[in-house]
Amino acid sequence: MTKSELISKIATKNPNLMLKDVERIVDVIIETISKTLASGNRVEFRGFGSFSIRKRAPRTAKNPRTGNKISIGERKIPHFKMGKEMLEMLNK
């Protein structure tokens, strides 16, 4: 599902909301999740799952074009852990 499909589905289920209001709500939710993760905190939706940040250790890699070795520093990556209810729903 894309962002526009999500907005359309929410607008369809809530005819009292205008499409541009639903779009703004979805944008605010995504922005808030992103800012929370960027500040190092986690985001949890009970029954759905949680988003957190994990650190990837520095490593040496190979440039596929030239074959030269390059060093890649430590990175922070987003991680999603599925909630119990979601896991059960998917594995019925």
Side-chain angles (χ1 to χ4, degrees):
M1 175 181 284
T2 64
K3 182 179 169 184
S4 60
E5 291 171 341
L6 176 64
I7 291 168
S8 296
K9 188 163 263 196
I10 293 171
T12 302
K13 289 189 175 192
N14 297 282
N16 57 327
L17 295 174
M18 294 179 63
L19 186 63
K20 67 179 184 175
D21 293 335
V22 174
E23 186 174 352
R24 180 69 185 135
I25 290 168
V26 171
D27 286 340
V28 168
I29 290 170
I30 292 171
E31 181 181 326
T32 303
I33 291 170
S34 299
K35 285 183 178 181
T36 302
L37 290 173
S39 68
N41 297 315
R42 63 186 295 232
V43 177
E44 182 177 335
F45 297 105
R46 299 270 179 195
F48 179 72
S50 62
F51 296 92
S52 61
I53 296 293
R54 292 206 174 160
K55 290 184 180 177
R56 187 174 283 173
R59 62 191 171 97
T60 303
K62 187 169 125 179
N63 183 335
R65 186 173 290 169
T66 63
N68 295 337
K69 290 186 178 183
I70 56 173
S71 64
I72 299 174
E74 181 179 84
R75 293 185 174 220
K76 295 178 183 178
I77 57 166
H79 175 74
F80 177 74
K81 183 176 179 187
M82 192 178 317
K84 183 179 176 183
E85 290 86 2
M86 176 67 76
L87 183 63
E88 289 171 355
M89 185 188 319
L90 293 175
N91 291 301
K92 283 186 176 181

